[in-house]
Amino acid sequence: MKPTDAGGKRRRALLCCVLCFALLAAPVSASAVISPQSLTVNGEPVACEAYNIDGCNYFRLRDLAYVLNGTTSQFSVDWDDDADTVSITTGRAYVPLWTELSMGADRSASAVRSVQTILINGSAHDELDVQNIGGSNFFQLRELGQVLGFDVSYIAATNTVAVSSRAVSTGTRLTETADGGRNYLNRLIFLGDSTTYGIGAYYRAGYTDLCPATQVWTPASGTLTLSNYSFATIVYPQTGEELTITEAVTRSKPEYLVITLGVNGVSFMDEDWFIRDYTALVQNIQTASPDTKIILNSIYPVAVSYQYQSSINNQKINAANGWIEQIAADTGCRFLYSFEAVVGADGYLPESSQNGDGLHLNGGAFCTVMQYIRMHAYF
């Protein structure tokens, strides 16, 4: 009779329990296939990566944030690597990574239940069905719409999933309008740094779709750093005097003031500093001239050829443009996203649109911006 291996049996039983526990604790794989439905957002077709799992459509979170940006259903997305947490904030502008809507190989076989924490407006939402597919979070579309505030419907005749924001925003961000025309441009004053100076300079060079230097407020040095807003001076075109911004506004009380600032600031100012100084500048102007309609213009992209990408790059500019839009909302101003008028498909300013240094627009690009301004008027 063989001796009983009681210890071996106990070890095998313990190993079996550990394996069973590990299988229960691991994310459950989902049976995913590429979604056979097409997608529209506010009536416009959108091509993006999407999967169908057990009859439900799942879309990448950042793709949805990108296509809903600028609507009343917009939301921001932030990632905390240390906490393994995705944070979603409703109503806040989304800062693009410019990898959105990318299409690639079928990654359905990699689908597993996401183990990351999902925060919406600071609260955890463990009930959401989130799948990690190829390293990206894909959310069940209808479920996410209910939580974030956008509508989802299905059009059987065309096999289309239709996403609709609750209403296209006509608030902070200036949306497309009828052409404001030359008359509208003539009512604007442009305050800014060296990225604004070119408006008047190229007008003198024959680009008459732009505005003359009498409508442009920039320093004599051409550089206006946001952190110097309280004491920096601009050349007042009507007299040639150097006045502080508040002095110039107090004297002229412009009907419209378009502000383009911050490109130098992104090289050294963090979010809190940037927002604090920009907000103080806007409030000073509002105090000096309460009836002036203020438009906060986005910072323009830089080209691949720009030499100082380590200090000023499009990732920093994208973040700052999100801050500027939030400042506009908080101060009752309007936000002009002219960035999108001149950015290329690769997320950079095209080389054909820069003036030789990779940072500043050339005359043709400024004309494109002026047309965009006319078609996104503040009436």
Side-chain angles (χ1 to χ4, degrees), residues 171-195:
T172 300
R173 182 178 292 209
L174 292 171
T175 54
E176 190 168 349
T177 63
D179 188 353
R182 186 75 219 181
N183 179 61
Y184 176 66
L185 288 186
N186 291 342
R187 297 155 68 189
L188 307 179
I189 295 294
F190 296 89
L191 166 66
D193 49 30
S194 59
T195 64

Side-chain angles (χ1 to χ4, degrees), residues 157-289:
T158 57
N159 197 26
T160 299
V161 176
V163 170
S164 302
S165 58
R166 295 293 160 87
V168 176
S169 176
T170 55
T172 300
R173 182 178 292 209
L174 292 171
T175 54
E176 190 168 349
T177 63
D179 188 353
R182 186 75 219 181
N183 179 61
Y184 176 66
L185 288 186
N186 291 342
R187 297 155 68 189
L188 307 179
I189 295 294
F190 296 89
L191 166 66
D193 49 30
S194 59
T195 64
T196 294
Y197 175 83
I199 296 172
Y202 281 110
Y203 180 88
R204 288 193 300 269
Y207 289 85
T208 54
D209 287 340
L210 305 180
C211 295
T214 53
Q215 293 176 238
V216 179
W217 292 359
T218 56
S221 65
T223 300
L224 180 56
T225 302
L226 177 60
S227 59
N228 298 337
Y229 76 92
S230 62
F231 59 85
T233 59
I234 57 94
V235 177
Y236 192 63
Q238 283 67 31
T239 64
E241 297 172 86
E242 292 195 22
L243 304 177
T244 65
I245 296 169
T246 302
E247 289 171 340
V249 170
T250 301
R251 182 175 298 188
S252 68
K253 298 197 180 326
E255 181 182 4
Y256 291 93
L257 185 64
V258 181
I259 303 175
T260 309
L261 282 178
V263 68
N264 294 316
V266 300
S267 66
F268 64 92
M269 299 174 79
D270 62 19
E271 180 177 357
D272 290 341
W273 185 4
F274 189 103
I275 291 175
R276 183 177 64 249
D277 281 13
Y278 208 133
T279 301
L281 168 63
V282 170
Q283 291 173 338
N284 286 352
I285 293 170
Q286 290 173 324
T287 299
S289 183

